[in-house]
């Protein structure tokens, strides 16, 4: 049987299409698209919105005690806890970073670092400012040791996080870069919605969290 011959034009067209589909499917391309999308996300410098936390107990004199992590900060009215993102307002504890990540990226899952969970896939990664540690070697100190008033924060409610992870073909959503315990309410709501869409949640943590928070 005679082999079908391609003209020079057909050959170049097929090569071009092949390269295009390869590029679109590549993790690098999707990371670039995410970076582009990130530049188009709504956000602003400073606080975007706040949310009352269920993880506190009121104390006499208008003080509150945060129950999220073992520091169990006792916080006076108008003051914040050690992590600087949880504030006593009128005898209630508010999260100042709910739905307002300052970092949004698509990373290889190996960077989390996970080597045995869905290897070769991408992870939709978010972080807010703040941390309950002050490690001298922290590589993300510009956000972990910062207050939300001094970072650019995106408006990204949980349903939007899950939708973006789906849009970019990420089978996991990672709460990472700082200690996610300090934005636990946000991370929890994202995880509930993600599970409904068969997306796994990754929690990149120092483990400094109260056991009752996890129950
Ligand atoms: S999460 Fe923040 S405010 Fe709450 S106990 Fe820990 S350091 Fe204190």
């Amino acid at each position: 049987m005679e082999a079908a011959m391609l003209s020079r034009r057909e050959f170049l067209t097929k090569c071009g299409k092949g390269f295009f589909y390869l590029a679109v499917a590549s993790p690098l391309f999707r990371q670039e698209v995410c970076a582009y999308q990130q530049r188009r996300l709504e956000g602003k410098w400073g606080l975007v919105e706040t949310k009352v936390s269920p993880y506190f107990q009121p104390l006499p004199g208008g003080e509150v005690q945060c129950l999220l992590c073992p520091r169990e900060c006792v916080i006076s009215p108008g003051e914040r806890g050690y992590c600087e993102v949880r504030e006593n307002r009128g005898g209630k504890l508010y999260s100042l970073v709910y739905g307002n990540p300052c970092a949004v990226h698509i990373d290889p899952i190996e960077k989390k670092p996970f080597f045995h969970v869905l290897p070769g896939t991408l992870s939709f990664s978010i972080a807010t400012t703040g941390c309950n540690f002050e490690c001298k070697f922290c590589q993300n100190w510009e956000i972990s040791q910062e207050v939300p008033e001094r970072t650019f924060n995106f408006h990204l409610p949980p349903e939007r996080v899950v939708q973006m992870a789906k849009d970019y073909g990420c089978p996991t959503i990672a709460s990472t870069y700082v200690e996610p315990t300090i934005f636990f309410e946000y991370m929890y709501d994202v995880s509930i919605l993600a599970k409904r869409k068969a997306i796994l949640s990754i929690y990149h943590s120092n483990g400094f969290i109260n056991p009752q928070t996890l129950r």
Side-chain angles (χ1 to χ4, degrees), residues 46-145:
L47 299 182
V48 180
E49 60 187 76
T50 58
K51 184 169 183 171
V52 179
S53 169
Y55 304 101
F56 79 95
Q57 63 178 2
L59 297 175
E63 290 186 325
V64 298
Q65 183 167 33
C66 179
L67 304 172
L68 264 187
C69 88
R71 292 198 188 277
E72 300 194 341
C73 300
V74 173
I75 308 170
S76 300
E79 300 292 323
R80 295 183 186 180
Y82 181 91
C83 58
E84 296 279 3
V85 296
R86 309 178 67 76
E87 185 172 286
N88 179 348
R89 290 184 176 175
K92 289 184 179 163
L93 184 65
Y94 279 77
S95 164
L96 306 180
V97 290
Y98 184 96
N100 311 144
C102 61
V104 181
H105 298 285
I106 290 180
D107 289 334
I109 196 164
E110 288 78 6
K111 187 180 162 191
K112 297 300 102 196
F114 288 97
F115 289 102
H116 303 292
V117 179
L118 300 172
T121 62
L122 296 171
S123 190
F124 194 82
S125 306
I126 53 173
T128 71
T129 54
C131 192
N132 55 7
F133 275 19
E134 288 183 57
C135 308
K136 299 292 177 226
F137 50 80
C138 180
Q139 64 171 358
N140 294 325
W141 59 272
E142 285 137 313
I143 58 173
S144 71
Q145 305 305 313

